[in-house]
Amino acid sequence: MSKRFRYALEPLRLTRQWALDELLATLARHNEAVTRASTALQQLRAQLEQARQDWLAGQAAGQTLALERMAVLGRYLYDGAVRVDAMARQLAVLERQRDDTAAQVAAARRALDAVEEHRDDQRAAFRRAQGSEDFKLADDHWSVLQARGTEHELDC
């Protein structure tokens, strides 16, 4: 009768797997936040560039710009530049958080891989021991059968 392999460190392996799964979910959230922030920053930059190009096109065409309109446009471009700077700083923070989480994911993956490698080594050792035990039992059984066969021949 063969025994089943039971890994003594299975609770540790499961704990490490769960920790890795949680970190992967966190990393996905960070990636999503970085993508949203990056897209918003690109859109704002495109809007400001379009406003600047419209103003330059109007000047090239010889249009005069009223002083009030010029002041509003100047404030708009200045406020936009301030917003771009703030959004770029926020994006950098989000990217650092994502990178830190990615490093934690890599460490958690290595920790889980180490436990799984140990489990696989233990399973292989168990199978070798089980095979050796099965072979010994078969050898003992064969020896008993041979001894009975010899007894039977002597009785005849």
Side-chain angles (χ1 to χ4, degrees):
M1 182 172 154
S2 66
K3 300 180 220 172
R4 278 182 28 136
F5 173 74
R6 292 187 190 265
Y7 184 53
L9 298 178
E10 185 63 14
L12 174 65
R13 190 195 71 76
L14 288 173
T15 300
R16 288 188 177 177
Q17 179 66 58
W18 297 333
L20 176 61
D21 292 345
E22 184 177 333
L23 284 169
L24 287 170
T26 300
L27 181 60
R29 286 191 301 274
H30 285 309
N31 281 332
E32 184 180 330
V34 166
T35 300
R36 278 193 317 268
S38 180
T39 300
L41 180 58
Q42 289 172 356
Q43 288 173 347
L44 178 58
R45 283 181 174 157
Q47 288 171 358
L48 292 173
E49 182 58 27
Q50 184 61 46
R52 192 176 82 71
Q53 290 299 323
D54 290 347
W55 180 56
L56 290 174
Q59 282 187 330
Q63 292 177 348
T64 58
L65 193 59
L67 188 56
E68 288 176 12
R69 178 84 172 119
M70 191 169 171
V72 168
L73 182 59
R75 279 195 305 270
Y76 174 76
L77 292 174
Y78 175 78
D79 289 343
V82 169
R83 287 178 34 216
V84 163
D85 186 50
M87 290 174 78
R89 283 194 309 273
Q90 180 61 30
L91 178 59
V93 167
L94 292 172
E95 288 172 337
R96 269 195 309 279
Q97 290 173 341
R98 179 201 55 202
D99 294 346
D100 291 345
T101 303
Q104 291 173 353
V105 165
R109 169 49 60 196
R110 286 190 303 274
L112 178 60
D113 287 347
V115 173
E116 288 180 340
E117 183 178 341
H118 181 261
R119 180 196 58 195
D120 294 344
D121 291 345
Q122 293 295 307
R123 181 179 287 135
F126 173 81
R127 286 183 179 150
R128 283 190 304 273
Q130 192 67 38
S132 178
E133 186 178 315
D134 290 346
F135 180 73
K136 185 180 179 309
L137 284 172
D139 188 45
D140 290 347
H141 189 291
W142 185 81
S143 296
V144 167
L145 289 176
Q146 288 300 319
R148 284 187 184 163
T150 306
E151 272 180 24
H152 185 62
E153 287 176 8
L154 290 177
D155 288 341
C156 293

